[in-house]
Amino acid sequence: MSDVDHIAAGIVPRMTGADGDLIANALSFARAHLGMEVAYLARVAGDQLIFEVVIAPGLEDVVDVGRSLPFADTISRQVWLGHLPPMIADIEDYPQMKGLPVLQSIAVRAQVSVPITRPDGSLYGMFCCFDRAPCPTLNSRDLEVLRAFASLSSDQINRRLGVEAAVRAKRLAIEKVLDHQAFDIALQPIKSLRDQSTTGFEALCRFSPTPYRSPNIWFDDAAEAGLQVSLELRVIEAALTLLPRLPDASYLAVNTSPATLASGKIAALLAGYDGARVVIEITEHAEIGDIDAMLLSIDRLRELGVRIAIDDAGAGYSGLQQIIRLHPDIIKLDMSLTQDVDKDLARRSLASAMVRFAQDTNARVVAEGIETEAELRTLRTIGIEMGQGYHLARPGLAQDVLDLAKTA
C-alpha cells in the first residue's frame, strides 16, 4: 500500500518507504484482530511520547501523526514501569489511574501496549491499540498476537536505527576530514601513446585517517551522509592549487560526480586559473540525476575553456546515450575494455568503435589501465592517442610526481 493509499484509509505513516509500510501494515492487522478503534507506534523522545505511525480511520482529531504527549502522563509509561499490565480491558478497573492527564484528552477505556526496545534494552517507544469503550473479551491470546506484530515492527525499527547510526558515524568521519583537510592529492600522468610524453595529470585523492580505506569508500560514505558535494568540491579545490606547478603544456584532470557537477559550484573554484588547462572527468558509473542542471553547468564551464571528459566509458550504466547527451571533449576508455585488448577480439572491436565514434564527434580518447606493452601497441594501432596505467606511470603523491616530471 502506498503512502497515498495509507492516507486515504486513515493510515498516516511518519516513516516512509518499506519501514512505514511494514509497520503500518502490522498496526492495521493488529487493530483488526483486536477490533479496536486506534493502533499506533509512538516513540519516546526526551520527556515526550510522539506518535510516529497511526491508524485511526475517522479519529484523526483524537490522535494523529506528529502529536506528542508528556510521557509521564500516559498509560504507556505506567505499563513500561510495571504499574499497569500490558492488557487493560477497562481502565476504570484501575481507579488509581483516574487522574491520569491523558485520559482528559483521549478517552481511553481499553488498551493493549507492548514496549519496543533498542538492542541495548533502552526504550524506543510503544506499539499500542486502544478503544474508547471497554473490551471485556480481551484475552492472553490477543496479547500474544500484539506482541508478535510488535516484534516484527521492532526488528524493522532496529534495522533502521542501525542504518541511521552508521550514517551518523560516516557523517562525523567525513566532517573530520573536511575540518582538517585530512587527505593528500596524488597525480597520475596521462601519456601520449605515440612518444610517451606527458600530456596531462589526473588528480587522485588519498585519505589520511587510519586504518586506510580506499578513496571510493570515502566518497561513497560521503554520498550516503549527504556530504558528497562538499567533499568533492574540497578535493577539487586542493587539486587546482597544483595547476600552476604542472608543466606548461599539460592539463589537470579532476573527478566529479554528476551531483557535484549539477550543483554549479565548480566554476567558482576556477577563478584565477586557466580553464583551458582543466579537464572535468564525470564518472559514468554514477547515475545522472538532474541532467538539465548538469548541462547548464557544463555550458558554464566550457565558457571558461574547461574540457569535459566521460570517465570509465564502457563500464557504466548509461552507455552511449549519456555520452551523446554530454558531448564530451575526451572519452576515457575504462580498463575493462583495455585489459587484454591485444588478446581479446571483442574488446579490440569495442575500443575501435569508440575511437571511430570519438573521431566523428571531435572527441579524443584516453585509454585507462594500460598494464602491458602489448596492450599499449594494440591501442596505439587502433588509433588511441593517449593513455594512463601502471605500464606508463604509476600514481604518486603530487610533489613526487612533479619532481619526477622536472627531471624527465
Side-chain angles (χ1 to χ4, degrees), residues 111-122:
Q111 178 168 306
V112 185
S113 306
V114 176
I116 299 289
T117 57
R118 299 180 180 88
D120 64 2
S122 63

Side-chain angles (χ1 to χ4, degrees), residues 41 114-118 122-127 150-151 153-154 157:
L41 170 73
V114 176
I116 299 289
T117 57
R118 299 180 180 88
S122 63
L123 180 64
Y124 173 84
M126 303 295 288
F127 189 98
S151 178
S153 299
S154 177
I157 289 166

Side-chain angles (χ1 to χ4, degrees), residues 7 41 46 70 101 109 132 137 139 167 181 212 214 262 283 293 308 310 368-369 383 402 406:
I7 293 169
L41 170 73
R109 288 290 297 273
R132 294 174 298 173
T137 61
N139 57 56
V167 170
Q181 194 157 317
Y212 172 80
S214 63
T283 179
I308 302 299
I310 288 288
E368 297 184 292
L402 292 175
K406 290 179 183 178

Side-chain angles (χ1 to χ4, degrees), residues 37-38 40 49 51 54 56 59-64 67-70 73-75 91 97-98 100-111 129-133:
E37 294 176 304
V38 176
Y40 65 84
L49 184 71
F51 294 95
V54 175
L59 295 176
E60 290 82 6
D61 59 325
V62 176
V63 58
D64 200 2
R67 181 175 179 179
S68 64
L69 298 169
D73 296 343
T74 63
I75 298 173
I91 195 67
M97 295 294 113
K98 185 175 181 180
L100 201 64
V102 69
L103 299 178
Q104 307 306 313
S105 57
I106 303 176
V108 177
R109 288 290 297 273
Q111 178 168 306
C129 290
F130 75 78
D131 203 283
R132 294 174 298 173

Side-chain angles (χ1 to χ4, degrees), residues 162-344:
V163 170
E164 290 174 354
V167 170
R168 284 195 299 272
K170 291 174 181 178
R171 186 175 182 86
L172 180 61
I174 299 298
E175 287 174 343
K176 287 182 178 179
V177 167
L178 291 170
D179 289 343
H180 303 288
Q181 194 157 317
F183 60 84
D184 296 303
I185 299 298
L187 295 174
Q188 183 171 28
I190 299 166
K191 301 276 190 174
S192 164
L193 298 192
R194 179 178 56 82
D195 58 12
Q196 294 194 30
S197 61
T198 300
T199 59
F201 297 85
E202 180 179 358
L204 306 169
C205 190
R206 298 292 181 263
F207 290 90
S208 306
T210 56
Y212 172 80
R213 299 193 306 158
S214 63
N216 65 294
I217 294 176
W218 282 100
F219 285 110
D220 287 346
D221 285 355
E224 190 174 348
L227 292 171
Q228 177 184 33
V229 173
S230 297
L231 182 59
E232 289 186 1
L233 289 173
R234 184 68 61 83
V235 172
I236 292 171
E237 184 178 26
L240 287 171
T241 64
L242 300 171
L243 187 58
R245 300 169 56 192
L246 301 187
D248 291 341
S250 60
Y251 67 83
L252 178 70
V254 295
N255 292 280
T256 180
S257 65
T260 299
L261 184 54
S263 74
K265 296 180 179 179
I266 295 177
L269 301 180
L270 292 167
Y273 295 107
D274 181 2
R277 297 185 63 198
V278 177
V279 170
I280 302 293
E281 295 190 7
I282 311 166
T283 179
E284 200 198 9
H285 289 291
E287 182 177 354
I288 295 176
D290 191 341
I291 183 68
D292 292 331
M294 193 170 73
L295 291 175
L296 286 173
S297 182
I298 287 173
D299 289 342
R300 172 63 181 136
L301 290 170
R302 283 194 164 123
E303 290 173 1
L304 300 174
V306 174
R307 286 172 289 169
I308 302 299
I310 288 288
D311 196 16
D312 304 324
Y317 78 100
S318 54
L320 288 176
Q321 181 179 1
Q322 296 299 349
I323 295 176
I324 291 169
R325 295 188 73 177
L326 300 179
H327 195 71
D329 305 285
I330 297 172
I331 298 171
K332 299 196 72 175
L333 202 63
D334 187 73
M335 66 180 302
S336 63
L337 293 182
T338 62
Q339 187 178 34
D340 294 329
V341 68
D342 55 308
K343 305 171 186 176
D344 190 318

